[in-house]
Amino acid sequence: MLYQHGTLGTLMAGMLEGTATINSILEHGDLGIGTLSGSDGEVIILDGTAYHANEYNEFRTLTGTELTPFATVTPFKPDIQFTTHIITDDETLLDEVLAKVGSKNIFNAVKITGTFEIMHVRMMPQQQPPYTRLIESAKVQPEFTKEQITGTIVGFYSPQLFHGIAASGFHLHFINDDKTFGGHVLNFELNKGTIEVSKIETLEQHFPVNNEAFLTTDIDYANIDEDIRETE
Amino acid sequence: MLYQHGTLGTLMAGMLEGTATINSILEHGDLGIGTLSGSDGEVIILDGTAYHANEYNEFRTLTGTELTPFATVTPFKPDIQFTTHIITDDETLLDEVLAKVGSKNIFNAVKITGTFEIMHVRMMPQQQPPYTRLIESAKVQPEFTKEQITGTIVGFYSPQLFHGIAASGFHLHFINDDKTFGGHVLNFELNKGTIEVSKIETLEQHFPVNNEAFLTTDIDYANIDEDIRETE
């Protein structure tokens, strides 16, 4: 089971107000990704704890009372596990994940633990109200690259048909072992590591039904497809 | 909660093999819609019983062992109820439903019970393997119109962002009081009746993870948007 609060499409359209607490997200899983109000940075959920990397490259453990407009989480139980001992780029590795899952038509959750030759991440800069389309803040997102860093990638693969609900393809966040650095993964090279994959049978899509702005706004989903591809 | 097995997009793409029993669908709700293997006709789920209307205008109660490639169901508990005593066309009535829900951005489930001046339905003709895109069989779908008929409309409203997963807007099936006639609603005029609406907080989207054809096919989702609009 994969639990998602909010949709990426709604976030892209500029509905950035937090509508669920991090604690309420953690009730549905122990591994995941998300962001905070204003699309502030990158949330990484690993082993039941939520962490946050902001645009200033600051890293902290969340208390749980923070609000999120968009988060995806799963009670992670791997169906597939394999290791790699040669340097592998993200495209090659993620193709291997899909080959082992045997399908591009279901969601899967991944956890990649190891030493990374290169880890290239970004952190989304926080918007202040009144919020605009996410692509506006994405244009100025700071990026960071680390070499020879140990840590864990967590995230999800979404089928093409769900582009708009989530980002089709892989959407991955990184956290280092020291819990001092992380972000939204742009690309990486894994030196050696363990890859665990969970096949997802059910997507539980939750809507912020108590948020008046979400309920009543005439959300403009034009260009959402391209916006997501450009932003993510 | 709204439970859906399969997606309309996958059905449109011609993946018409049944992948869940009607009984397994009924475990998740007592009101809903669907179709059978080969996109055979229209399934109507009312008060926990599943009925079927086929292309020959035959109507029967399902045993529960039949297979469906696509069905949507909810444990129906109305949040909103209102009545109407003047003849109202579908567009006016469904606009009123959305106004009372107060949002176009969440799913809702509807049940409309009453006497209909006009009920215009279609039944999708069953395909035999090898299956083709659904729009091919939709082109020759038989339509039926009844006047002064009492019965119940059941179905769902899906937000625009979920077009492809479901049909955005209202997707409604009809069953008459005598349980002898029904189908996929094209348009209607309600004479007098009761309208009940349930706001949906969570969509539980289930995938046919044990169906090899679904898992391994490179599904062509091009033109899905237009296909759904034309077919539904």
Side-chain angles (χ1 to χ4, degrees):
Chain A
M1 189 273 293
L2 192 161
Y3 177 89
Q4 182 164 282
H5 173 78
T7 65
L8 188 57
T10 306
L11 193 76
M12 297 304 302
M15 307 291 292
L16 306 185
E17 192 181 339
T19 44
T21 64
I22 290 294
N23 275 337
S24 77
I25 300 299
L26 291 173
E27 283 171 20
H28 299 277
D30 55 12
L31 176 147
I33 58 177
T35 189
L36 297 183
S37 288
S39 197
D40 171 16
E42 313 293 336
V43 170
I44 306 104
I45 297 172
L46 177 65
D47 298 331
T49 302
Y51 304 89
H52 184 253
N54 73 10
E55 67 202 279
Y56 310 110
N57 196 14
E58 293 165 339
F59 200 90
R60 64 180 167 131
T61 304
L62 295 175
T63 65
T65 59
E66 301 84 357
L67 289 169
T68 176
F70 179 61
T72 316
V73 76
T74 188
F76 190 69
K77 287 197 196 80
D79 303 306
I80 298 161
Q81 186 173 323
F82 62 101
T83 57
T84 178
H85 299 283
I86 52 162
I87 294 177
T88 315
D89 65 23
D90 48 284
E91 200 178 320
T92 306
L93 191 69
L94 298 172
D95 279 352
E96 200 175 340
V97 167
L98 285 180
K100 287 192 191 279
V101 168
S103 182
K104 292 184 173 181
N105 300 328
I106 57 169
F107 286 83
N108 69 62
V110 293
K111 181 179 181 181
I112 304 170
T113 312
T115 305
F116 296 84
E117 280 297 298
I118 295 168
M119 177 53 66
H120 180 200
V121 301
R122 72 102 201 274
M123 294 79 143
M124 189 67 77
Q126 181 178 22
Q127 282 192 22
Q128 300 297 337
Y131 301 127
T132 62
R133 298 179 78 79
L134 196 60
I135 199 158
E136 299 305 323
S137 38
K139 280 176 186 159
V140 293
Q141 63 192 20
E143 300 179 12
F144 297 87
T145 302
K146 299 275 184 182
E147 296 182 6
Q148 284 287 337
I149 187 169
T150 61
T152 304
I153 288 172
V154 295
F156 304 99
Y157 170 86
S158 304
Q160 186 197 338
L161 188 62
F162 286 75
H163 191 68
I165 313 304
S168 71
F170 285 95
H171 184 171
L172 307 171
H173 288 189
F174 175 76
I175 177 170
N176 73 343
D177 274 358
D178 295 341
K179 314 287 191 271
T180 54
F181 175 79
H184 172 103
V185 176
L186 295 174
N187 58 278
F188 66 85
E189 282 183 14
L190 178 64
N191 185 319
K192 56 180 179 190
T194 301
I195 299 94
E196 295 169 282
V197 190
S198 169
K199 301 183 198 182
I200 302 290
E201 186 168 344
T202 305
L203 166 68
E204 225 179 286
Q205 173 64 53
H206 182 256
F207 296 89
V209 290
N210 297 314
N211 184 261
E212 207 52 29
F214 168 71
L215 290 176
T216 57
T217 299
D218 190 3
I219 302 174
D220 178 11
Y221 289 118
N223 306 318
I224 284 292
D225 284 9
E226 302 90 279
D227 278 14
I228 293 176
R229 280 185 221 289
E230 233 175 283
T231 307
E232 299 301 312
Chain B
M1 191 273 294
L2 191 161
Y3 177 89
Q4 183 164 282
H5 173 78
T7 64
L8 188 57
T10 306
L11 193 76
M12 297 303 303
M15 307 291 292
L16 306 185
E17 193 182 338
T19 44
T21 64
I22 291 295
N23 275 338
S24 76
I25 300 298
L26 291 173
E27 284 172 20
H28 299 276
D30 55 13
L31 176 146
I33 59 177
T35 188
L36 297 183
S37 287
S39 198
D40 171 17
E42 314 293 337
V43 171
I44 306 104
I45 297 172
L46 178 65
D47 298 332
T49 301
Y51 304 89
H52 184 251
N54 73 10
E55 66 201 279
Y56 309 109
N57 196 15
E58 294 164 338
F59 199 90
R60 63 179 168 134
T61 303
L62 295 176
T63 65
T65 59
E66 301 85 358
L67 290 169
T68 175
F70 179 60
T72 316
V73 76
T74 188
F76 190 69
K77 287 198 195 77
D79 303 307
I80 298 161
Q81 185 173 327
F82 62 101
T83 56
T84 178
H85 300 282
I86 52 163
I87 293 177
T88 315
D89 64 24
D90 48 286
E91 199 178 322
T92 306
L93 191 69
L94 297 172
D95 279 352
E96 200 174 341
V97 167
L98 284 181
K100 289 194 189 277
V101 168
S103 182
K104 292 183 175 182
N105 300 327
I106 58 169
F107 286 82
N108 69 61
V110 293
K111 181 178 180 181
I112 304 170
T113 312
T115 306
F116 296 84
E117 279 298 297
I118 295 169
M119 176 54 65
H120 179 200
V121 301
R122 72 103 201 272
M123 294 78 143
M124 187 68 76
Q126 181 178 22
Q127 282 193 22
Q128 300 297 337
Y131 300 129
T132 62
R133 298 181 77 79
L134 196 61
I135 199 158
E136 298 306 322
S137 38
K139 280 175 184 161
V140 292
Q141 62 192 22
E143 299 180 13
F144 297 86
T145 301
K146 298 275 185 183
E147 295 181 10
Q148 285 287 338
I149 186 168
T150 62
T152 305
I153 288 172
V154 295
F156 304 99
Y157 170 86
S158 304
Q160 186 197 337
L161 188 62
F162 286 76
H163 190 69
I165 313 303
S168 71
F170 285 95
H171 185 170
L172 306 172
H173 287 190
F174 174 76
I175 176 170
N176 73 344
D177 274 358
D178 295 340
K179 315 285 192 274
T180 54
F181 175 79
H184 171 104
V185 176
L186 295 174
N187 59 278
F188 65 85
E189 281 183 16
L190 178 64
N191 186 320
K192 56 181 178 189
T194 301
I195 298 95
E196 295 169 280
V197 190
S198 169
K199 301 184 199 182
I200 301 291
E201 185 168 344
T202 305
L203 166 69
E204 226 178 286
Q205 172 63 54
H206 183 256
F207 296 88
V209 291
N210 297 316
N211 182 260
E212 207 53 27
F214 168 71
L215 291 176
T216 57
T217 299
D218 190 4
I219 302 173
D220 178 10
Y221 289 119
N223 306 319
I224 285 293
D225 285 9
E226 301 91 279
D227 278 16
I228 293 177
R229 279 184 222 288
E230 231 175 284
T231 308
E232 300 302 312

